[in-house]
Amino acid sequence: MSDLRLTVDGRQLTARWTDENPETRAAIEEALPLAGDASRWGDELYFDVPVDVPTENGREAVEVGSVAYWPGGSVLCLFWGPTPASEGDEPRAASPVNVVARIDDVSALSEVDGGASVRVELDPGR
């Protein structure tokens, strides 16, 4: 069962909350639904969100499928592969991010060209 539904340029994805950053997760959940026009940085999409949370358990190297909040710019990030900051194939943020969820299947994101419209909301079937 998923916790979140993500729509990226019409592609439907699901994600599950993680417990790594509970304060950030609570702030993101309270702000849902979130939507915006994303920018792409390697295999990462990011868009502005109306959330202001400090670094909690921040890290730069994240797993494929990580949904993370970047306190340095108040943006939500979706990672599915290497970024310009990566060392090898692992996704890597420009500076520490707070991971809040993990996308179940990122394969549809490889089809995204450039930026994309993104919407994140609670999964109505949860």
Side-chain angles (χ1 to χ4, degrees), residues 52-70:
D52 185 16
V53 180
T55 301
E56 192 170 353
N57 293 306
R59 56 192 171 107
E60 293 177 9
V62 299
E63 292 82 17
V64 168
S66 291
V67 178
Y69 173 77
W70 182 47

Side-chain angles (χ1 to χ4, degrees), residues 1-22:
M1 177 178 241
S2 64
D3 297 313
L4 298 168
R5 181 171 60 190
L6 294 82
T7 306
V8 180
D9 272 356
R11 297 164 182 85
Q12 296 292 314
L13 307 164
T14 57
R16 299 166 201 251
W17 291 118
T18 64
D19 295 325
E20 188 175 336
N21 295 286

Side-chain angles (χ1 to χ4, degrees), residues 42-112:
D43 286 349
E44 173 194 344
L45 287 175
Y46 62 94
F47 65 101
D48 293 329
V49 294
V51 175
D52 185 16
V53 180
T55 301
E56 192 170 353
N57 293 306
R59 56 192 171 107
E60 293 177 9
V62 299
E63 292 82 17
V64 168
S66 291
V67 178
Y69 173 77
W70 182 47
S74 296
V75 300
L76 198 64
C77 312
L78 313 178
F79 294 92
W80 71 95
T83 68
S86 292
E87 298 170 4
D89 291 335
E90 105 278 7
R92 182 172 288 269
S95 61
V97 294
N98 300 342
V99 175
V100 295
R102 181 115 342 93
I103 299 168
D104 296 317
D105 179 3
V106 298
S107 59
L109 292 174
S110 64
E111 302 169 6
V112 174

